[in-house]
């Protein structure tokens, strides 16, 4: 089954404790991206990657890092989480870097205390 | 960059009635407009999309219209059913160049009352 898998789905952590949210897709998609969803703000892009070893900032990249060492994986790293990063995070992928349907994971709800 | 506005933020309709959600965009270069449905606890899923060379597209009870001159597009759901209850997001994008972003609206929470 074609899917985008995120882990963990739920996480409560404390300020400053580094964490990684993993994302994996099994569709051989070139393009992957991370969004955060906050009430009243919709979906905002954090980072995206057009292919292996190619990443770029989205609209709200501050406080996040990403890497794309393999085509299928695109982890989101919070080096020193802060309470304003409490949010619902979605990983998404699409076949091409310039077109195509976005496929979303089921989301990772992160709470930073 | 692109700015997408979406209205209303919440919408309640009786089962069987129609629902309309409207979006406006700012960048006249945007040429691809998808609509996503997000059910509770799940990620958004594409339900319909329209490209700028088309004015209307229908898929069973769902239709999308696009007015390029006015820079707005709308989602129409007819004969609503309880399973249509969800959050709906519109988006705008420029296809054809690498790395193009999807700019999402702020979402509409639709409730269909049985």
């Amino acid at each position: 089954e074609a899917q985008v898998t995120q882990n963990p789905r739920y996480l409560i952590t404390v300020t400053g404790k580094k964490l990684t949210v993993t994302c994996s897709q099994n569709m051989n998609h070139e393009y992957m991206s991370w969004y955060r969803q906050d009430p009243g703000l919709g979906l905002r892009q954090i980072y995206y990657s057009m292919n292996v070893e190619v990443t770029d900032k989205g609209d709200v990249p501050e406080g996040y890092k990403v890497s794309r060492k393999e085509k299928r994986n695109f982890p989101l790293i919070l080096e020193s989480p802060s309470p304003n990063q409490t949010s619902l995070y979605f990983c998404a992928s699409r076949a091409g870097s310039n077109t195509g349907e976005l496929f979303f994971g089921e989301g990772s709800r992160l709470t930073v205390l | 960059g692109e700015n997408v506005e979406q209205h209303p933020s919440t919408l309640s309709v009786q089962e069987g009635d129609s629902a309309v959600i409207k979006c406006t965009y700012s960048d006249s270069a945007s040429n691809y407009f998808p609509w996503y449905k997000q059910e509770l606890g799940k990620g958004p899923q594409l339900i319909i999309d329209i490209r700028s060379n088309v004015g209307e597209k229908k898929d069973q009870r769902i239709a999308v219209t696009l007015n390029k001159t006015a820079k707005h597009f709308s989602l129409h759901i007819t004969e609503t059913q309880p399973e249509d209850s969800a959050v709906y997001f519109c988006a705008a994008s420029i296809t054809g160049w690498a790395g193009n972003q999807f700019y999402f609206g702020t979402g509409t929470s639709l409730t269909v009352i049985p």
Side-chain angles (χ1 to χ4, degrees):
Chain A
E1 181 191 350
Q3 59 187 4
V4 178
T5 304
Q6 297 178 226
N7 280 295
R9 295 287 313 279
Y10 303 91
L11 179 63
I12 301 174
T13 190
V14 295
T15 299
K17 186 175 180 183
K18 180 180 178 179
L19 68 93
T20 299
V21 186
T22 63
C23 174
S24 180
Q25 50 92 6
N26 63 0
M27 296 169 278
N28 200 35
H29 283 173
E30 285 185 353
Y31 180 97
M32 298 184 74
S33 60
W34 277 101
Y35 292 85
R36 60 178 289 174
Q37 182 178 2
D38 301 290
L41 297 177
L43 292 156
R44 294 179 294 167
Q45 191 175 55
I46 303 170
Y47 268 95
Y48 64 94
S49 169
M50 290 187 282
N51 216 322
V52 176
E53 302 292 0
V54 181
T55 64
D56 210 344
K57 296 177 181 178
D59 293 321
V60 288
E62 295 79 18
Y64 305 95
K65 285 176 59 176
V66 293
S67 68
R68 187 92 181 273
K69 293 184 171 52
E70 305 164 285
K71 197 171 188 179
R72 62 183 291 127
N73 296 323
F74 190 45
L76 179 70
I77 304 156
L78 286 73
E79 294 269 2
S80 182
S82 62
N84 64 10
Q85 293 178 296
T86 292
S87 188
L88 178 59
Y89 292 87
F90 288 101
C91 180
S93 71
R94 68 175 191 249
S97 61
N98 61 7
T99 190
E101 175 184 348
L102 264 180
F103 291 85
F104 284 86
E106 298 219 310
S108 296
R109 184 166 292 281
L110 171 65
T111 301
V112 183
L113 302 176
Chain B
E2 174 68 279
N3 181 44
V4 177
E5 296 192 359
Q6 183 173 347
H7 299 281
S9 56
T10 59
L11 179 60
S12 290
V13 300
Q14 291 291 138
E15 182 176 358
D17 287 350
S18 295
V20 180
I21 303 170
K22 299 183 178 182
C23 289
T24 61
Y25 61 99
S26 60
D27 190 342
S28 56
S30 290
N31 59 5
Y32 176 63
F33 307 93
W35 285 88
Y36 283 80
K37 176 184 181 182
Q38 184 181 19
E39 296 177 343
L40 199 60
K42 298 196 170 183
Q45 277 195 301
L46 179 70
I47 55 170
I48 195 167
D49 56 13
I50 191 167
R51 298 186 184 274
S52 58
N53 57 350
V54 175
E56 182 175 2
K57 184 176 179 180
K58 289 184 73 172
D59 183 2
Q60 300 182 335
R61 296 185 296 107
I62 295 173
V64 56
T65 59
L66 171 65
N67 183 325
K68 282 176 54 180
T69 303
K71 295 211 248 336
H72 66 70
F73 56 113
S74 300
L75 178 71
H76 305 252
I77 306 173
T78 58
E79 300 171 24
T80 53
Q81 300 166 4
E83 51 264 38
D84 294 328
S85 295
V87 178
Y88 292 81
F89 290 98
C90 63
S93 176
I94 305 171
T95 62
W97 63 275
N100 67 301
Q101 288 197 50
F102 281 56
Y103 292 91
F104 286 88
T106 50
T108 296
S109 178
L110 173 65
T111 302
V112 179
I113 304 163

